[in-house]
Every structure is written in structure tokens, then in C-alpha cells.
Amino acid sequence: MRIGRTRLIAALSLGLFAWALAADAQQPTKIPRVAVLSDETPALAAKFFEPFAQGLSDLGWIEGQNVTIERRYAEGDIVAVGTPAARAAKIATEKIPIVFARIADPVGSGLVTALGRPGGNLTGLTSQSRELAAKRLELLIAAVASAKRVGVLWDPNFPPDRPQLTEIERAAPVLNLQLLLAEVRGPDDFETALRAMAEQRADALIVLPGEVFDANSQQIADLTAKARLPTMFQRRELVEAGGLMSYGPDYPDMYRRAAAYVDKILKGAKPADLPVEQPTKLELVINLKTAKALGLTMPYTLLGCADEVIE
């Protein structure tokens, strides 16, 4: 199969990306084929694929009519430097265009040269997770003003966690906080890590992003509630599962916007000429029911800033 202008990889999310390929040259009508690769579980990836598919549909790309969509799931088995799926795609090809979304640090991970001028064959959307890490810590302390010791759960096997941890470590002295770090490499580590937080008398907890937490959202939410630890997450799904707070981009919106990149490239645009977009909407979500169960009185000023309060 020849590399054509309509052959494209749209790399969506920390683990999800789409790979659009032109049909064989022998076929009378060339129908782009979009292959979706995710390093998440099928159930988790499918949930976030829907906004992308809807975005394509809104732009006139109808699955089964003028575009074919294939799905592949690595379920955490992709191992590569940088954001796993997008990095794997970059390693696989330097010719096929790649569109990513929800990438924490595309410049730092070597996916693009610069946000304004990506260069090469990749572009898309960044979640700016590194830049938002300190803000999450500030919001957590706004909710738990008496906190002096804050636990941090992070996955050392998840590359975007390291720069975020660095930002939190820089912010902690300014906020007069002591950080208590615990590594989590799998769901079997949850209870051990939270037991360590209790033994060190943590007042609050911040959980860095990672597939291990996203794929086990109910378990980690239940365990933090059992440990009576006010916890800040990056994704709202963990707050919906019973966590206290989350602050981060509107991820479904980012998937929808990624579809626009695919549309532009299928129509002839080059990734190198399409600037990487930053989040246009950040969401603060607070679970008031969880706050009450923890005996927390959330400040009215913080509740007033929330995009959604779950009661």
C-alpha cells in the first residue's frame, strides 16, 4: 500500500490514537481507514472514543460510509519513552501523519519540536498536565486548609508523572507542605500505599494521572474514602466514583476537537503546519457528598468556582 495524502494516524489521548490509511490504490474509490490504538483497556478506551467518532460525524465522516474505523487495544502493554501510544506511533512511522490528544507534554516527550510549529508528522492537543499539577495541589489545600502533610500517589512507570511530581515538589515549600510519596505500579499496591499514608499521618492526598488509576477508579475512590483522605484527582471519572475533587481538561471535548485535525489532514493539511492546541476548558469537579462523609466543610469560594458539584 502506498503512503498517500489521505493516510493518517490520529493519536488520541495518553493511550488512544487513530491511524487513518488510504484504501488500496487498486480500489476505484479511496476510503480512508482509521485505526484506533489504545494502551488502555477496551472498556475505558471505548468510552473516550465516542466523542472522537461523533466529532468525525459532525464533520461529515460517517463510519461505514466514507470512512472505516478499526480499533486496537494494548491494555497497558505498550512500553515506549514518552506518552505510550503516541510515542509508539512516532517510532512506527515518520511518514504517516499522527494526530494526538490528551498528551501531557508533547514537547518534553519529544513528540513535537514546538507547540506553534510541531514539525515532522505529529500534531494535536496537549492536556498540559505538568503545568496544572501545582494548581491541583493549591486547590486541594484550599479545600483542606489545615493540611500540613500531603500524600502523593504516582506511577513511576507512567512517564508523564515524573514532570508533574517535580512541579508538585516545587510548589510544596511555598504552600508550607510536607509531601509523602508512594509509588503505585498496579492495583495491588493501592492498599499498601494508603496504609503508608495513614502511618505517616497524611492530611490529604493527590493522585497523579495514570492508566492504573483510571482503570481502577472505583477501587481507588473506595479506598481513599475508607482511609478518610480528602483526595484530588486529574479526571472527573474518579470524583464520580466517589473521590473528593478533580481539576483538569474537559477530555471528551479534546477528543471532539481531535476529529477536526483528522478532517483537516484528510483534506490535505500537513501536521507540521497545524499548531498543537492547549486546553480551552478546565473543569473543577467537587463531590459534596464525599466532603460531608469526610467531615469537610467546603469553602463557599471554592464551591463557587466549581464547574460541577456532585451532591
Side-chain angles (χ1 to χ4, degrees):
M1 183 181 292
R2 294 183 298 106
I3 302 295
R5 190 174 64 179
T6 57
R7 186 175 185 179
L8 170 116
I9 296 178
L12 308 178
S13 104
L14 293 175
L16 177 65
F17 64 85
W19 183 337
L21 307 173
D24 292 336
Q26 293 84 358
Q27 295 181 1
T29 302
K30 292 185 178 181
I31 299 178
R33 185 168 73 249
V34 178
V36 178
L37 172 63
S38 173
D39 58 11
E40 299 172 325
T41 62
L44 187 60
K47 177 179 179 180
F48 294 105
F49 172 76
E50 292 176 6
F52 171 69
Q54 183 60 53
L56 284 179
S57 178
D58 292 342
L59 292 166
W61 298 99
I62 310 300
E63 183 175 5
Q65 295 184 18
N66 58 357
V67 66
T68 299
I69 300 178
E70 300 180 4
R71 299 161 179 79
R72 300 291 185 270
Y73 306 102
E75 301 193 52
D77 291 334
I78 293 177
V79 180
V81 178
T83 298
R87 183 60 180 168
K90 180 178 173 65
I91 292 173
T93 177
E94 296 181 355
K95 296 180 179 180
I96 302 174
I98 300 171
V99 176
F100 55 77
R102 287 207 317 119
I103 301 301
D105 184 6
V107 177
S109 60
L111 296 176
V112 300
T113 302
L115 297 183
R117 297 286 296 177
N121 61 321
L122 289 87
T123 188
L125 300 98
T126 173
S127 61
Q128 285 190 313
S129 293
R130 177 172 183 169
E131 291 83 351
L132 298 176
K135 182 64 176 180
R136 292 190 184 96
L137 184 61
E138 292 175 13
L139 289 169
L140 177 61
I141 299 309
V144 193
S146 62
K148 296 300 179 184
R149 293 175 297 278
V150 176
V152 181
L153 300 190
W154 71 294
D155 180 359
N157 293 328
F158 188 67
D161 273 7
R162 293 185 182 276
Q164 292 190 56
L165 181 59
T166 298
E167 294 302 313
I168 291 174
E169 289 176 327
R170 289 173 179 170
V174 179
L175 297 170
N176 194 29
L177 297 172
Q178 176 187 355
L179 296 182
L180 310 172
L181 308 184
E183 296 183 1
V184 173
R185 300 170 187 269
D188 291 341
D189 296 334
F190 290 165
E191 292 195 35
T192 301
L194 290 171
R195 190 180 306 116
M197 295 294 106
E199 292 172 354
Q200 298 176 78
R201 296 182 292 116
D203 302 307
L205 180 69
I206 185 167
V207 176
L208 298 190
E211 195 273 339
V212 63
F213 302 113
D214 297 337
N216 300 278
S217 57
Q218 192 62 62
Q219 182 183 357
I220 190 65
D222 290 345
L223 288 172
T224 56
K226 182 179 179 181
R228 298 191 62 77
L229 275 174
T231 305
M232 166 66 82
F233 299 97
Q234 176 175 274
R235 288 167 58 158
R236 64 176 297 139
E237 288 79 16
L238 288 104
V239 181
E240 292 170 349
L244 178 64
M245 306 171 63
S246 68
Y247 182 68
D250 181 339
Y251 292 115
D253 179 64
M254 296 185 75
Y255 276 83
R256 286 190 291 269
R257 288 163 55 204
Y261 278 86
V262 174
D263 176 65
K264 291 176 182 178
I265 293 175
L266 289 177
K267 292 177 179 177
K270 296 180 179 180
D273 299 329
L274 298 175
V276 174
E277 288 188 23
Q278 302 177 48
T280 58
K281 181 181 179 182
L282 298 172
E283 294 184 317
L284 172 62
V285 181
I286 298 174
N287 191 319
L288 197 57
K289 181 178 179 180
T290 298
K292 292 177 180 178
L294 292 170
L296 281 178
T297 299
M298 302 296 285
Y300 287 114
T301 52
L302 189 61
L303 291 173
C305 295
D307 295 275
E308 183 176 348
V309 176
I310 300 173
E311 300 188 57

